[in-house]
Amino acid sequence: MANLAIRDLVKTYDKVEVLHGINLEVQDGEFVVFVGPSGCGKSTTLRLIAGLEEVTSGDIEIGGRVVNNLEPKHRNIAMVFQNYAIYPHMTVRKNIGFGLRSSSAPKAEKDARIDQVADLLGMTDLLSRKPDQLSGGQRQRVAIGRAMVRDPAVFLFDEPLSNLDAQLRTQMRLEIKKLHQRVGSTIIFVTHDQVEAMTMADRIVIMKDGYIQQVGTPAEVYHNPANTFVAQFIGAPAMNMIEGEVKENGSIQLSSGGQIDADLPAKPGQRITLGVRPEDLTADTSAPFLEGSVAVREPLGHETLIYVKTNAGEFIAKADGRHPPDVGATVRLGALQENLHIFDAETGGALV
Amino acid sequence: MAATEEIRLSSDALLKANKPKRPANMGQFLRWGLLFLGGIVMIMPIVYMISTSLKWPHEVYNLKLIPDEPHLENYTFVLEDGRFYWWFVNSIIIALITTLCNVIFDSLVGYTLCKFRFPGRYIVFIAILSTLMIPTEMLVIPWYLMSQQFGWLDTYWGIMFPGLMTAFGTFLMKQFFETVPDDFIEAARIDGLNELQIWWTVAMPLVKPALAALAIFVFLGNWTAFIWPLIVTNSVEMYTLPVGLSSFGDEADVAWELIMTGAAISTIPTLIVFLIFQRFIIRGVVMAGLKG
């Protein structure tokens, strides 16, 4: 186990800069998830940490040692790939033990280690099988086993669950989380799925266009998003956004015509974007600021999501699961002031 | 019970009666006919080879398939002739070493061109490919002069050196290595293997079908090679089988029955090679078909 530090990391491909000097500190034993849309640089960062790509400038430190110029095998890391990368011509035992090939430990010791890892992953009965005799989840476990067997300082996971079906993904998510709690290793996990990020991470790193947008615990990035991108990327359905302007008395005049009393650190006349999550926007309010008609209902059982058409666009709100408003009905929506997110309209940065 | 059986039988009969009969298909008939003709064309030289090997010299130009007096004297003569063993051994050594070298060198170069990014990679690949456009006949004289300069005339090395690595093999292997996901290579790199170990332990087992195909092509090509071994060898002991067999007979006549006997015996190793490696080729085709 070890801590990891990334300092001013830049990566360019043929003069195109894809990472623009990112900085990050990961503590020993921490589970950090990199999340972001395709092309945001999360996988590139992971490959740079692994040593599969050369750093253009900046430093990567693992366990206090700069590893920029070290071969992957000398970085004391292990990686689980999206396509598992388990060798089809080898049995599960050989696949798991593959990482120990270069170890000078006696064979009996290596075998004991393989058995220990197989036992931990519940794969003891499968050791003599070949990958084509395994299910998707079992293959994924073999890949994890191969990473674990060397007891590396840092585990790197590159979208390891994206090839699994929804049910198996949920199961594997839980297993990886439990595994982390058991072995306590430092884990860097890359995904584009914000649900995976929220459910697994100690801290989430949200990336976009080669920049880190925000680093924080799942609760922090959800409740206090640093900007409109994070606000809309985290949470499903995405956060509702509406333009507005700060008035002389400090209140906000929304483009829908509604008004909100707020005490903002903003100048009168400043353009703002108001964000409110669908689960916080409800018709059950004493201070509505939006009015429109229900266009679509999505019953989820315990609650119903309603899509409300207003003069400022369509908004998603939460309604009662048993007695939601009818399609076509007019509703007036509002939210508690503590659940409102206010961003600068120009920069997108959070004001509150 | 009997009634149930009766009902089941009658329903089977009904199903059979209702099953539409496939009308005689002219296209299918034509296809089978063409395949049959193709098969005849392919098999006839082999049948004639075996037939001729069982004939006496005076019967050779009689095109009857079954000899009047079939006999095995030709086989006895050829197998008792010490030269035949030399030629057979020469051909085996040359074909095996050349096949082994091609499998190793072609796949090494193909792997390097496929999996490593270095300046000039594309140019090197095109340069190797462009040698495919030069006919062997044009290369024979330079090869001969080289062999002469290096003192390789009438040696195994002289016979083998032009074919130890081929552009076709390199191309074939490069294309197959393209199908090996980079994740495998990178995973092995992280697991601590050096590049040569990755090539041998991870990449090579994944391209077995291509290696088998290459091995068959190279072995057969060298087993049947005639022009270059004829030019580069002088002594009868260094002849390969095709060259040696062509020397049966004298200036006045060609002993076809002996040539055919030698040819019949010399097909055995090629059959063995094909039987050993064909399962890899078939598996390769199946794998290619199943890939999602």
Side-chain angles (χ1 to χ4, degrees):
Chain A
M1 289 190 288
N3 56 346
L4 171 85
I6 295 171
R7 303 194 206 290
D8 300 322
L9 189 64
V10 174
K11 177 65 185 171
T12 57
Y13 292 108
D14 297 332
K15 294 178 186 168
V16 178
E17 196 170 281
V18 293
L19 284 180
H20 314 284
I22 62 170
N23 288 283
L24 182 71
E25 297 275 346
V26 178
Q27 297 309 311
D28 191 6
E30 202 174 9
F31 195 133
V32 171
V33 176
F34 282 64
V35 68
S38 296
C40 69
K42 56 189 189 298
S43 284
T44 305
T45 309
L46 196 79
R47 291 173 63 79
L48 287 166
I49 297 169
L52 298 173
E53 303 275 351
E54 274 185 40
V55 171
T56 306
S57 71
D59 284 327
I60 296 170
E61 280 180 28
I62 296 175
R65 178 178 61 145
V66 175
V67 295
N68 287 25
N69 299 318
L70 291 184
E71 292 284 311
K73 60 185 172 187
H74 295 131
R75 296 189 180 203
N76 197 15
I77 46 129
M79 187 158 166
V80 178
F81 290 83
Q82 184 175 356
N83 300 319
Y84 320 136
I86 53 174
Y87 308 118
H89 55 289
M90 296 181 192
T91 60
V92 169
R93 173 173 283 281
K94 281 196 174 171
N95 262 293
I96 292 179
F98 197 77
L100 297 174
R101 280 175 61 100
S102 49
S103 158
S104 57
K107 190 178 178 300
E109 200 177 301
K110 288 182 184 177
D111 283 344
R113 179 76 187 132
I114 295 168
D115 290 336
Q116 188 190 349
V117 168
D119 185 41
L120 199 65
L121 294 167
M123 302 201 72
T124 308
D125 297 341
L126 307 174
L127 283 173
S128 56
R129 289 202 195 170
K130 286 206 171 169
D132 59 359
Q133 297 168 309
L134 302 176
S135 68
Q138 288 168 334
R139 286 180 202 187
Q140 189 56 267
R141 274 204 284 271
V142 176
I144 294 170
R146 198 175 63 195
M148 283 175 66
V149 79
R150 284 193 297 128
D151 197 15
V154 179
F155 281 99
L156 307 173
F157 287 81
D158 189 8
E159 305 208 28
L161 308 182
S162 55
N163 283 355
L164 303 178
D165 61 49
Q167 197 181 350
L168 204 53
R169 199 182 308 172
T170 312
Q171 188 190 330
M172 286 305 295
R173 212 161 62 197
L174 190 67
E175 285 193 28
I176 293 174
K177 185 79 184 164
K178 279 183 186 169
L179 195 72
H180 175 246
Q181 285 167 354
R182 231 178 302 164
V183 295
S185 314
T186 308
I187 293 181
I188 310 289
F189 190 104
V190 162
T191 179
H192 62 268
D193 182 344
Q194 52 101 9
V195 178
E196 264 173 37
M198 292 293 284
T199 52
M200 298 173 86
D202 291 333
R203 279 195 304 155
I204 299 178
V205 178
I206 299 153
M207 294 186 72
K208 185 193 170 205
D209 299 335
Y211 293 98
I212 290 179
Q213 301 292 314
Q214 188 173 3
V215 182
T217 63
E220 279 168 1
V221 296
Y222 188 80
H223 295 298
N224 300 307
N227 53 42
T228 49
F229 172 77
V230 175
Q232 290 207 289
F233 190 79
I234 299 291
M239 184 185 276
N240 297 296
M241 295 287 182
I242 181 169
E243 297 295 311
E245 188 180 322
V246 179
K247 306 301 287 181
E248 287 293 340
N249 60 2
S251 65
I252 301 168
Q253 180 66 50
L254 298 175
S255 58
S256 63
Q259 196 163 325
I260 296 173
D261 290 328
D263 185 19
L264 289 177
K267 291 177 226 160
Q270 184 177 350
R271 303 286 308 162
I272 59 103
T273 303
L274 175 80
V276 54
R277 294 204 179 275
E279 60 268 33
D280 296 329
L281 190 63
T282 168
D284 184 17
T285 177
S286 56
F289 51 81
L290 281 167
E291 186 176 318
S293 61
V294 177
V296 178
R297 294 193 310 189
E298 273 185 359
L300 301 174
H302 62 294
E303 62 185 28
T304 298
L305 291 177
I306 52 172
Y307 290 71
V308 180
K309 218 172 188 177
T310 74
N311 58 357
E314 196 171 72
F315 290 83
I316 308 171
K318 184 182 78 175
D320 185 58
R322 289 180 192 277
H323 309 290
D326 293 329
V327 171
T330 300
V331 287
R332 301 179 78 205
L333 304 169
L336 294 174
Q337 193 157 345
E338 66 200 52
N339 293 329
L340 298 178
H341 304 270
I342 297 162
F343 306 96
D344 187 301
E346 271 182 37
T347 64
L351 294 174
V352 175
Chain B
M1 182 72 185
T4 320
E5 186 72 6
E6 207 168 287
I7 290 167
R8 196 174 63 79
L9 285 173
S10 63
S11 70
D12 282 354
L14 201 65
L15 278 173
K16 273 181 193 166
N18 286 343
K19 198 175 177 183
K21 277 187 184 170
R22 187 178 284 184
N25 188 331
M26 194 59 193
Q28 201 176 13
F29 180 76
L30 205 67
R31 270 200 298 277
W32 280 105
L34 281 172
L35 278 175
F36 181 75
L37 275 177
I40 294 286
V41 168
M42 299 294 280
I43 204 97
M44 277 317 279
I46 298 167
V47 172
Y48 257 99
M49 177 180 74
I50 292 166
S51 164
T52 309
S53 74
L54 300 173
K55 288 178 179 174
W56 294 106
H58 67 269
E59 270 188 294
V60 165
Y61 292 102
N62 183 340
L63 293 181
K64 276 196 292 187
L65 268 182
I66 298 167
D68 290 336
E69 300 166 50
H71 67 96
L72 295 172
E73 286 297 314
N74 296 327
Y75 285 88
T76 315
F77 180 84
V78 167
L79 292 173
E80 282 180 356
D81 186 330
R83 295 174 303 170
F84 184 82
Y85 283 108
W86 271 113
W87 303 337
F88 197 87
V89 169
N90 288 345
S91 280
I92 287 277
I93 290 172
I94 288 160
L96 281 181
I97 293 178
T98 314
T99 303
L100 194 68
C101 286
N102 267 274
V103 163
I104 291 172
F105 296 139
D106 292 352
S107 58
L108 257 180
V109 177
Y111 178 76
T112 306
L113 290 172
C114 174
K115 295 295 178 192
F116 290 89
R117 303 282 173 268
F118 56 89
R121 184 173 70 117
Y122 188 67
I123 295 168
V124 171
F125 181 55
I126 294 294
I128 291 173
L129 269 193
S130 63
T131 62
L132 282 174
M133 289 185 282
I134 304 168
T136 309
E137 288 76 7
M138 267 182 72
L139 296 168
V140 164
I141 293 171
W143 286 346
Y144 187 84
L145 293 174
M146 270 175 72
S147 300
Q148 199 179 29
Q149 294 293 324
F150 287 121
W152 294 343
L153 289 179
D154 212 23
T155 63
Y156 282 149
W157 185 243
I159 302 171
M160 290 187 302
F161 88 90
L164 291 179
M165 210 195 114
T166 60
F168 168 73
T170 305
F171 173 72
L172 181 80
M173 294 315 299
K174 181 187 174 291
Q175 295 311 106
F176 256 80
F177 280 122
E178 299 279 3
T179 64
V180 176
D182 286 345
D183 283 359
F184 284 144
I185 313 293
E186 291 175 345
R189 234 167 247 162
I190 289 174
D191 282 336
L193 270 67
N194 64 38
E195 297 303 328
L196 208 61
Q197 286 173 319
I198 295 172
W199 165 74
W200 182 250
T201 324
V202 175
M204 287 290 266
L206 296 174
V207 293
K208 266 187 195 165
L211 291 174
L214 181 65
I216 290 176
F217 293 148
V218 176
F219 188 90
L220 294 187
N222 280 277
W223 187 257
T224 55
F226 180 72
I227 295 284
W228 176 243
L230 178 70
I231 291 169
V232 81
T233 53
N234 298 321
S235 56
V236 176
E237 295 78 34
M238 283 310 297
Y239 282 178
T240 57
L241 258 182
V243 178
L245 291 179
S246 72
S247 72
F248 274 131
D250 51 37
E251 285 174 6
D253 198 8
V254 179
W256 285 113
E257 71 286 0
L258 296 180
I259 292 176
M260 290 301 141
T261 305
I265 298 170
S266 71
T267 54
I268 294 168
T270 59
L271 279 176
I272 292 171
V273 167
F274 184 75
L275 289 175
I276 290 173
F277 289 112
Q278 67 157 349
R279 65 196 176 98
F280 292 113
I281 295 183
I282 292 166
R283 197 188 298 164
V285 172
V286 172
M287 274 163 65
L290 288 178
K291 216 167 180 185

